[in-house]
Every structure is written in C-alpha cells, then in structure tokens.
Amino acid sequence: MTLTKRIIPCIDVDVDENGDAAVYTGVNFEDLEYTGDPVEMAKAYNESGADEFVFLDITASAEGRETMLETVSAVADEVFIPLTVGGGIRTRDDIKETLRAGADKVSINSGAIANPDLIDEGAAAFGSQCIVISLDARRRFDGQGEQYVEVDGESCWFECTVKGGREGTGLDAVEWAKEAERRGAGEIFVNSIDADGTKDGYDIPLMKAVCDAVSTPVIASSGCGGPEDMEEVFVDAGADAGLAASIFHFGEYSIAETKRYLDEQGIPVRL
C-alpha cells in the first residue's frame, strides 16, 4: 500500500501589541505582518480538507516564555485533524501540558538541542508519535560541517539554528536529524531559513539530504509557492508531507486544488 502524501497548513503565532495571540507571515523569519486570528484560521483549515495542522509559537523560545496554551486549547477545540504545536517546549512537563491542552504532537527545536535527552524522555513517556523534532536549517559554505551537498556548483552544509533562526549552533542538521531519529523522534520537521517565505520553492538539497539520511517521516517546510513545488519536494526529495503557509493564508491556492493538482500528477493524496 502506498502511503498518501500529507498537505499541512501552518500558522506562525506571536503576541500582538495588546497581548493577544495573532498569526503573522514573513520572509526569512523576519518582516512579520499580521495575517489573522489563530482560532478562526484553524477552524477554516479544519474545514478545508487539510490532512494536519501546525501551530508554531514563533517567539516563545527566543523570549524564554511558555507556549500560549490557552490559545492552543481554543485552536484544538476547532481542529479535528492531527494538531502539532511548537515553540517554547523545553521540558517533559512542557510536553505534557501541551498535549493536555489538545495537541496531538509537539514540535521541539531549541529545547531538544539544549537537552537531547528530552527526545528520549518524551518518546518514552508519551510515545514517539507525539515527538516531532524541528530543524531550522541554513546553508553554510565553509569547512565546519559534517555532511556536504553540491548546490549551484558549490559544496555546502546545513547548520541548525535556534530562536527562530536568530542564532547558529554549529550543529550539522543532517547529523542532528539522524541522532533525533535514534533517540526516538517520530517525525522530522525541516524548515529552511534561506527559503522561508520566498515562494521560490522548497530547499530541495536540504530536504533530500535529510530524507536520504533518515527513515522517519519528514515534513518539508519553507518556500512553497504553489502545488508544483509540493510535487517537486515529494518526487525529487522524497518528503512525506508538504507544509505551506502564505499560499493558503492569502487564498493563492486552496487545499483542494493543491490536492487535485498532485493527484493529476500521480502523487498519492487523500482527496
């Protein structure tokens, strides 16, 4: 049986000037603009035919605060497809509280890099299917990496970043994906700092490098400009799911027409 490819909308949530949760969209994790209300957007995507839904609190880690669990709970009340929540998750208790608020999975980046044992602890306590390890990776063209690929005639590696792409770690993203899988991560969520918000397509060299390195399902994120980009990341990189934000948020494409296009290209999707 061929597994269907998943189409996943994502909202990036921050706190607005009034202290309320709001969805923002930007480019390269910067220049964020207000996009909408997270609960209303979640409700719309639940009704649109999305396979899953991702809620990312994009400044929780950078600001050292907890994930906005009240908003997560309100979103969970409107979403009846798998819900992944990320941002500010640093401890086993954070995982527990986020799942208790209604998430089906947690996405962890900075917290797992700071404490890799958190992956083992989370998988043992709640099951690997609940633990998604997120990589915010950027290209580096120097000799400090471990796994190299050719990009436009140059050799590069991919560095994990933290705090929403604000800080480098020196950690090779491909090697970190392999370690996360060994420790019990049930899924790898790959974001490209370079491609984020550009709509120029997914970073195929990055996605393929991670997909080739692990057997755990990989969610490809950042840079999607349309259904053709999803086709490319499924066919050329081997991703298991395609995540997108702005093309869905602003009505450039719907979930339904994206799936119809992929189906017409012979990509297995749930219609």
Side-chain angles (χ1 to χ4, degrees), residues 8-9 11 41-42 45 51-55 75 79 81-84:
I8 306 175
I11 56 173
M41 292 181 73
Y45 281 126
D51 297 307
E52 299 188 14
F53 186 65
V54 171
F55 175 115
V75 165
V79 172
I81 52 179
L83 170 62
T84 299

Side-chain angles (χ1 to χ4, degrees), residues 159-234:
E159 178 190 27
C160 288
T161 68
V162 294
K163 298 183 179 179
R166 296 171 181 83
E167 294 183 9
T169 64
L171 185 64
D172 188 293
V174 177
E175 287 300 310
W176 175 233
K178 290 158 66 174
E179 180 176 351
E181 179 179 62
R182 288 194 300 269
R183 287 179 174 271
E187 208 157 28
I188 307 294
F189 176 18
V190 185
N191 307 289
S192 168
I193 300 297
D194 303 295
D196 178 70
T198 64
K199 299 184 186 177
D200 291 334
Y202 297 97
D203 187 332
I204 298 299
L206 167 61
M207 302 305 165
K208 180 171 172 51
V210 175
C211 289
D212 287 350
V214 300
S215 57
T216 301
V218 172
I219 302 171
S221 175
S222 306
C224 183
E228 296 88 351
D229 293 331
M230 287 200 176
E231 177 189 9
E232 182 183 34
V233 83
F234 292 146

Side-chain angles (χ1 to χ4, degrees), residues 111-134:
I113 289 176
N115 174 25
D117 289 340
L118 180 60
I119 305 173
D120 307 71
E121 294 168 7
F126 308 106
S128 289
Q129 78 283 352
C130 293
I131 307 301
V132 180
I133 293 303
S134 177

